[in-house]
Amino acid sequence: MQYWFIGADGSAQPGPFLPDAPNQIERYEGVNSLTGKPVVIDYVVEGEKKLLRVSTYYPDNKPCIFTLDPGHAVNFISW
């Protein structure tokens, strides 16, 4: 799965590539190079599923946290 950094003007830049298999990566911590905002990507367990969780910020400092399930369905927690 390719993660993209998005800028305030809608510009995009490729970010880290994350494997679909959650056991290959535990946590990614970085900075969106277009906004300067922190990005944390990790895995959380919900019931029987391991979900990919992305925690970052919009350019106006609003938090944006969402999860992706194994089928890549998005569930927004904070946006």
Side-chain angles (χ1 to χ4, degrees):
M1 180 180 301
Q2 178 74 54
Y3 184 82
W4 287 81
F5 296 129
I6 307 296
D9 62 358
S11 59
Q13 186 176 68
F17 175 80
L18 302 169
D20 283 336
N23 295 334
Q24 294 177 4
I25 184 173
E26 291 296 320
R27 183 177 179 94
Y28 168 85
E29 292 185 50
V31 174
N32 179 326
S33 56
L34 297 172
T35 64
K37 306 293 182 195
V39 177
V40 176
I41 303 170
D42 58 3
Y43 289 91
V44 295
V45 176
E46 185 177 284
E48 304 266 328
K49 294 189 238 176
K50 258 193 177 177
L51 307 175
L52 182 75
R53 178 176 55 190
V54 178
S55 303
T56 190
Y57 293 86
Y58 289 103
D60 65 358
N61 289 323
K62 269 179 62 178
C64 177
I65 304 169
F66 61 92
T67 60
L68 294 157
D69 69 16
H72 300 148
V74 176
N75 179 32
F76 284 96
I77 298 167
S78 179
W79 62 295

